[in-house]
Amino acid sequence: SNNNSCPHLLSLPVSTMATNFKGLVRGLKNVVVQYEEIEIKVREATSNDSWGATTTLMSEIAQATNDHKEYNKLFAMLWKRLKDEGNVLHVQKAMILIEYLLRNGSDRFIRDVKDRVDDIDRLRSYKTRSSKLNDVDRARQVRRKAAALITLVSDEKRLLRERQTAERIKNVKNTAVSSDGSHGGGVDRVYDGTVLPP
């Protein structure tokens, strides 16, 4: 047998191969289940990959909250991920996406989150079944994020200020012109949940 048939695979770190495998499995499931494009985007943003979603992906999902045809599927998939308590990364990333959409999504999204605030409130006491140190730390982050989301949703003035700040940031990015004349920042970074002060 020839072990050199896939030399590029042998040179990949095990974590990279595992991540590529998870992505492959997710891609196959997307095809088999026949998820819509917006559902695939939500699944990608809330995946169990160790890195976060890009600002471009989050922005595309936020824009879709204004599309009545895509909205129901988007919201259902997001809430499915939020309630997938057996997978701490799904829960954590769903909460990060919810926070982003509260700041950048439609008014309907805000109303629907408020209608289901009990689901988020329950996560203030979230515990993972996993004993892995990363999962225990993520569970702690989920509890903190749940408390922060409850505070944000219940404070109309603060939510309005954060939405206005997010809108200003988006407008600055959309009108920015680089030295070579191209529009936009050109860098797609992982969303970290921060809002710049006005």
Side-chain angles (χ1 to χ4, degrees):
S1 96
N2 183 359
N3 285 341
N4 293 330
S5 60
C6 294
H8 61 283
L9 284 178
L10 297 175
S11 65
L12 289 174
V14 172
S15 62
T16 301
M17 288 192 298
T19 299
N20 289 341
F21 180 73
K22 285 191 273 186
L24 177 65
V25 169
R26 190 171 44 254
L28 286 172
K29 188 172 183 181
N30 290 341
V31 170
V32 170
V33 178
Q34 297 181 336
Y35 286 121
E36 304 271 335
E37 183 180 351
I38 191 59
E39 292 171 305
I40 292 170
K41 287 179 180 181
V42 172
R43 285 171 49 79
E44 185 66 30
T46 60
S47 74
N48 56 0
D49 294 331
S50 58
W51 57 85
T54 63
T55 52
T56 298
L57 180 60
M58 303 276 260
S59 178
E60 289 171 1
I61 295 169
Q63 290 170 5
T65 63
N66 293 301
D67 184 330
H68 70 277
K69 291 178 184 174
E70 293 187 320
Y71 181 83
N72 289 335
K73 289 184 182 283
L74 176 163
F75 196 89
M77 180 58 71
L78 178 55
W79 231 253
K80 179 180 177 182
R81 295 294 220 181
L82 179 74
K83 295 178 100 177
D84 184 10
E85 294 185 24
N87 189 322
V88 67
L89 274 170
H90 286 176
V91 177
Q92 182 184 29
K93 288 182 174 185
M95 293 178 71
I96 291 168
L97 182 54
I98 289 167
E99 180 181 53
Y100 183 89
L101 296 177
L102 285 170
R103 292 176 176 144
N104 297 280
S106 68
D107 291 339
R108 178 181 177 189
F109 182 81
I110 295 170
R111 285 191 306 274
D112 286 348
V113 169
K114 286 180 177 183
D115 287 346
R116 292 163 182 81
V117 77
D118 289 347
D119 292 332
I120 297 171
D121 192 46
R122 273 192 287 282
L123 293 172
R124 292 199 292 183
S125 59
Y126 178 74
K127 299 238 187 302
T128 180
R129 293 180 208 111
S130 170
S131 60
K132 287 194 263 182
L133 192 55
N134 281 350
D135 288 348
V136 171
D137 185 49
R138 286 185 180 115
R140 189 177 314 110
Q141 293 172 24
V142 164
R143 292 189 297 271
R144 277 193 230 128
K145 182 65 76 181
L149 286 176
I150 295 297
T151 300
L152 181 61
V153 167
S154 62
D155 187 341
E156 293 282 338
K157 289 180 181 177
R158 179 176 166 210
L159 181 56
L160 179 61
R161 278 193 316 269
E162 292 200 17
R163 287 176 63 80
Q164 290 168 340
T165 300
E167 185 65 28
R168 279 196 301 275
I169 291 168
K170 184 170 55 173
N171 289 339
V172 167
K173 285 181 181 178
N174 288 341
T175 58
V177 178
S178 69
S179 60
D180 67 0
S182 63
H183 290 277
V187 176
D188 194 15
R189 57 186 169 73
V190 171
Y191 177 72
D192 64 5
T194 58
V195 170
L196 301 175

